[in-house]
Amino acid sequence: MRSSLLRIISILPLSISLSLISRTVAIPNDEREVTSTREPSIHASIASLLPPLPNDGNGNYHLGMSLFQKRHYRDAAPYLWRSILHTPPQNAEYGVQEAFMAFIKCYQLRGKLGEGYTFISLRYYVSGDLKGALEYAQQARAALSPNSDTKKAIKNANALVRDLARLTQADPPDKTPDNDLTRLTSIKSAVEWYGIGNKYFDDKKHTLAAAAFEKSCEMSVMTISLACVNAVYCRTLVCQWDEVLINNGDGRGLGYEADMARIERITADDLRTVEEVWIEPGDNTHSVNLSGHYHRIYPQSVGVHPHMMLGYPVNSLLKRFVSESHAFNDESAARHIGPNEYTPLQEGLPYDHSPTLPALRNEYQTSQNNFKLKVGFVGCGFNSKAVLFLSHDMFRFFDKTKFEMHVFSLGPADHPQFIAGAMRGADWRERVKSSVDYFHDVQEIGGNHQTLAKFIEDKGMHILIEWDGYAREGSRAKGLFALRPAPIQILHQEFLGTTGATYVDYIVTDKNASPLKNEHLYTEKAIYMPHHFFSKGHAVQKELTPPTLAYKPKTTPYTLGTGTPQENKCLATNNRDASFVYCNMNKFLKFHPTTVDSWLAILERVPDSILCLLENPVEGIPNIQKFVKSHPEFVSGSKQQHLVDRIHFLPWENSPFDNQRRMSDFCN
């Protein structure tokens, strides 16, 4: 049925096509490099990647020392502390004093000795030993220096000593649990720090959010794993890649390496609770067709979000399993209304389309030219989002004699003032409306995935296309596709990873984005586009300025449409000449140390060339500059400053049209 329906989808004008070709179409053997004929086992994959996290003293000590030797000091400390807490068995392979010194060294080598003593002080306080807590609080205060530590850190250390000194004079307090430090007004609990991290993140204060999440992770001894992975995400947003004191470039990028190792370690540990059963080929006794597949039951979604995981250079199978865990729990999570409480599914959900497919197939085969496929797109971004900048013109090229086009929009329209100002009157949402047969604004029911599923199913969709994937968490149609409102469901555009879902049949991709040898990383069948999976309709927008080499004379100050890239120099204020201007206008989130080092190598090989980046976000700029300065070949003298001076940052531009024009003026 899938092949007969998909075979007729072909929209070819201007090479903007969605000719949906099933993965089962024959592909030459020299192109296909299948690594395995059997779906990967989650437990075998994880066992080959990482050993289980230890639960005894010896295991924690060895893992902590292994991380210490790799100079992953931030993550070594919790495991060393756990080894200290375990009473060493008779066959102990370490001494408590040895583990303690390594633990303290983890803080000292990061220039955070005061934080290490503070951590120990709080552990003593939690255990009820006020004298020990006060002693280590005093050591923490003594370890701080007015020259290298902030006034706030010194103030907090003084407050901690003052509070503990006061408590030692009072009646002994009851033993206080980790998440209830209310007796210490100068200190927040791990749970409180997690909440502070969320607040900073919502306010787009990523550096502060990273610090708060890391504090929550540290104080919980890595038991609040969501805080630990959120800290990593916030650090990647602002390119915080170093955690050790850098000396002549030694240790640069180690923080990023340690963060990626943390992601793999925590993810693998979360996945060990998965139940997995192989369903033999031909076994059709299950509600979902799992014949020849593993049936996996995920107790809960993995802490790392699939959209975060997608950009991390970690084991690819982990990415698939993370997506699977979210897909497995997506629908039930959407019905969650309280602790262990869910609203029941309505009768008839999820929808079963198998009884109607034979009649639909017959109608298609016998109706000749009168049959229209009903195709629906679901997404939050039908407004001035980047995805619509690239794709809104695509809808003009669907053959309306073959397709009845629907859009189910979960997001709001843009404000009229924004349309009139930054958008120069161009309203992409209205353009989509004029190109499709039906545009359904479903914001009001988007939060109720059962109601939305019924609304879509009532429209008789044959094919439903998911435009968000795991992007836009909090706004996307969470749980909708699990209810099967259409017989064929496809992922396209925003999220180019696997959904991990049994209820998404296809992914629109290309052989560069999804090489054939990586088929085992997807639960969907691939629909390979001949050139590129992403639609490029923005190339025909009338508001955009065509590329040209006929530059107008440079103006001072700069105005749009004037000067060559070499003359404008990414708005640099120095007097250096620019021979060639390289550009990258992505978020810093998409950068990593290896990428930036490759750019530095290019700049060195092309004399007087410069690199133009976008301030996205501004608070990440000092971290990038610090990383550049720490390069082992450029750590001293004028050569270092010369390289830093060749990397420049452009402020954010609200108008996509002005931004495109600006890139033509600034980028070779």
Side-chain angles (χ1 to χ4, degrees):
M1 181 60 197
R2 291 175 182 168
S3 297
S4 62
L5 280 176
L6 293 174
R7 193 177 298 122
I8 72 168
I9 301 184
S10 181
I11 305 108
L12 298 175
L14 296 182
S15 298
I16 302 173
S17 66
L18 272 176
S19 53
L20 307 185
I21 304 168
S22 169
R23 186 178 66 175
T24 57
V25 172
I27 297 172
N29 289 332
D30 59 348
E31 290 190 45
R32 187 181 295 278
E33 301 176 29
V34 180
T35 58
S36 173
T37 56
R38 177 164 169 155
E39 188 184 34
S41 162
I42 190 170
H43 295 301
S45 301
I46 293 172
S48 65
L49 177 65
L50 288 169
L53 290 181
N55 57 11
D56 65 330
N58 284 334
N60 277 291
Y61 177 75
H62 286 304
L63 177 55
M65 290 306 298
S66 173
L67 293 170
F68 184 92
Q69 290 162 5
K70 295 176 182 177
R71 294 185 291 178
H72 297 180
Y73 303 125
R74 185 162 47 209
D75 282 4
Y79 298 109
L80 290 168
W81 183 256
R82 290 178 186 179
S83 73
I84 295 169
L85 295 182
H86 279 86
T87 302
Q90 291 183 348
N91 64 341
E93 300 168 7
Y94 68 100
V96 172
Q97 185 67 19
E98 182 182 8
F100 182 83
M101 294 306 297
F103 170 82
I104 285 296
K105 199 78 171 175
C106 288
Y107 285 90
Q108 184 181 19
L109 290 171
R110 294 166 52 215
K112 298 180 181 294
L113 185 58
E115 291 187 16
Y117 285 130
T118 298
F119 175 88
I120 299 171
S121 172
L122 294 177
R123 296 299 111 183
Y124 271 93
Y125 172 75
V126 166
S127 69
D129 185 344
L130 293 181
K131 183 178 179 181
L134 178 59
E135 178 182 338
Y136 278 103
Q138 290 169 335
Q139 289 193 51
R141 182 172 63 178
L144 297 175
S145 167
N147 298 323
S148 59
D149 293 286
T150 64
K151 292 181 179 180
K152 184 176 181 180
I154 295 172
K155 179 181 178 181
N156 289 342
N158 287 329
L160 177 60
V161 171
R162 183 182 63 248
D163 280 356
L164 287 169
R166 173 177 52 82
L167 287 175
T168 56
Q169 305 303 318
D171 295 331
D174 295 331
K175 191 172 182 178
T176 309
D178 280 323
N179 63 346
D180 183 17
L181 299 172
T182 54
R183 294 293 299 274
L184 283 177
T185 58
S186 58
I187 291 295
K188 296 177 176 60
S189 70
V191 174
E192 287 175 317
W193 276 118
Y194 184 81
I196 293 170
N198 280 326
K199 177 64 168 61
Y200 280 138
F201 184 82
D202 290 342
D203 293 340
K204 299 187 184 301
K205 298 177 179 178
H206 304 306
T207 303
L208 292 173
F213 283 131
E214 189 61 40
K215 183 61 69 175
S216 175
C217 176
E218 175 196 37
M219 291 188 66
S220 70
V221 199
M222 296 190 82
T223 58
I224 304 181
S225 60
L226 198 55
C228 303
V229 299
N230 284 352
V232 170
Y233 182 66
C234 291
R235 284 194 287 267
T236 60
L237 283 169
V238 294
C239 300
Q240 277 190 349
W241 296 331
D242 301 314
E243 68 157 333
V244 297
L245 297 177
I246 295 175
N247 180 26
N248 293 328
D250 183 37
R252 64 192 301 273
L254 271 178
Y256 185 82
E257 176 187 302
D259 278 344
M260 295 304 104
R262 174 191 286 188
I263 292 295
E264 287 195 333
R265 194 168 55 250
I266 290 177
T267 301
D269 202 54
D270 284 348
L271 290 169
R272 295 185 199 281
T273 60
V274 176
E275 297 180 37
E276 183 177 57
V277 178
W278 174 255
I279 309 300
E280 292 295 338
D283 183 351
N284 298 316
T285 60
H286 299 266
S287 57
V288 179
N289 182 17
L290 293 168
S291 174
H293 291 79
Y294 281 104
H295 177 51
R296 299 187 180 102
I297 298 176
Y298 291 85
Q300 61 186 14
S301 299
V302 172
V304 186
H305 192 270
H307 202 61
M308 297 180 189
M309 198 73 168
L310 195 60
Y312 292 152
V314 297
N315 184 277
S316 297
L317 274 175
L318 287 182
K319 298 183 181 187
R320 168 176 166 163
F321 297 142
V322 166
S323 288
E324 280 190 17
S325 77
H326 283 259
F328 188 89
N329 290 280
D330 223 16
E331 192 281 320
S332 59
R335 291 188 287 119
H336 184 264
I337 57 175
N340 301 316
E341 188 176 357
Y342 299 85
T343 57
L345 277 180
Q346 301 170 14
E347 186 177 355
L349 293 177
Y351 291 104
D352 180 9
H353 299 277
S354 57
T356 62
L357 288 180
L360 182 60
R361 181 196 299 256
N362 181 67
E363 182 184 2
Y364 163 66
Q365 292 175 338
T366 60
S367 63
Q368 299 300 321
N369 296 326
N370 297 324
F371 183 88
K372 286 187 179 183
L373 274 177
K374 295 183 178 181
V375 180
F377 287 77
V378 180
C380 302
F382 287 96
N383 43 30
S384 61
K385 295 289 191 294
V387 67
L388 212 60
F389 171 59
L390 296 170
S391 305
H392 72 268
D393 275 305
M394 178 186 75
F395 294 92
R396 291 196 285 141
F397 301 107
F398 283 90
D399 187 341
K400 291 193 175 183
T401 66
K402 296 181 179 180
F403 304 100
E404 180 180 294
M405 302 302 299
H406 293 249
V407 165
F408 300 91
S409 174
L410 295 158
D414 291 303
H415 194 282
Q417 290 182 354
F418 178 76
I419 294 295
M423 295 299 292
R424 308 288 193 271
D427 192 329
W428 298 333
R429 183 185 182 95
E430 290 300 317
R431 289 182 183 176
V432 172
K433 283 185 179 181
S434 67
S435 299
V436 299
D437 297 287
Y438 300 95
F439 188 98
H440 310 282
D441 187 339
V442 292
Q443 290 182 81
E444 295 298 323
I445 60 174
N448 188 325
H449 67 303
Q450 297 188 56
T451 302
L452 180 58
K454 185 177 188 307
F455 180 84
I456 293 174
E457 203 273 341
D458 286 345
K459 301 299 178 185
M461 293 297 101
H462 300 135
I463 298 174
L464 197 62
I465 299 176
E466 163 71 282
W467 250 21
D468 292 328
Y470 290 111
R472 310 187 193 285
E473 192 65 41
S475 301
R476 68 183 179 92
K478 189 172 186 176
L480 170 67
F481 279 73
L483 299 181
R484 272 286 181 184
I488 294 178
Q489 301 188 153
I490 299 173
L491 176 67
H492 181 223
Q493 297 266 82
E494 189 84 354
F495 182 80
L496 194 68
T498 182
T499 61
T502 58
Y503 45 80
V504 177
D505 306 297
Y506 297 90
I507 179 173
V508 179
T509 184
D510 60 64
K511 293 178 185 177
N512 290 314
S514 306
L516 293 168
K517 65 181 180 180
N518 291 341
E519 285 183 313
H520 63 292
L521 301 176
Y522 293 84
T523 54
E524 305 84 1
K525 292 182 179 180
I527 300 166
Y528 289 109
M529 294 293 98
H531 303 295
H532 197 282
F533 78 96
F534 218 100
S535 60
K536 299 285 183 164
H538 67 293
V540 296
Q541 288 181 41
K542 61 184 179 181
E543 292 85 4
L544 296 182
T545 305
T548 180
L549 294 177
Y551 297 102
K552 295 180 181 179
K554 181 181 183 299
T555 60
T556 304
Y558 163 78
T559 56
L560 281 173
T562 65
T564 67
Q566 286 86 344
E567 291 173 331
N568 290 319
K569 296 189 299 186
C570 195
L571 300 183
T573 56
N574 58 46
N575 295 321
R576 298 181 185 276
D577 292 331
S579 63
F580 195 91
V581 184
Y582 297 98
C583 290
N584 189 306
M585 298 299 161
N586 280 296
K587 297 177 180 178
F588 294 166
L589 172 66
K590 300 180 181 181
F591 300 173
H592 55 78
T594 304
T595 303
V596 174
D597 273 344
S598 70
W599 295 342
L600 299 183
I602 292 171
L603 291 178
E604 277 297 292
R605 293 176 185 177
V606 183
D608 296 322
S609 60
I610 66 173
L611 175 61
C612 189
L613 304 175
L614 189 65
E615 295 178 348
N616 196 4
V618 174
E619 61 180 309
I621 294 175
N623 295 325
I624 293 177
Q625 292 173 329
K626 174 186 175 185
F627 183 78
V628 172
K629 291 179 180 180
S630 68
H631 194 287
E633 296 183 17
F634 318 123
V635 293
S636 62
S638 60
K639 193 173 184 181
Q640 175 203 70
Q641 192 59 46
H642 176 63
L643 193 64
V644 173
D645 288 345
R646 291 166 62 187
I647 301 177
H648 307 285
F649 299 87
L650 285 177
W652 180 263
E653 173 55 63
N654 284 328
S655 169
F657 311 121
D658 289 352
N659 184 59
Q660 182 264 346
R661 172 71 272 188
R662 188 174 66 168
M663 289 179 65
S664 297
D665 297 341
F666 289 157
C667 306
N668 287 125

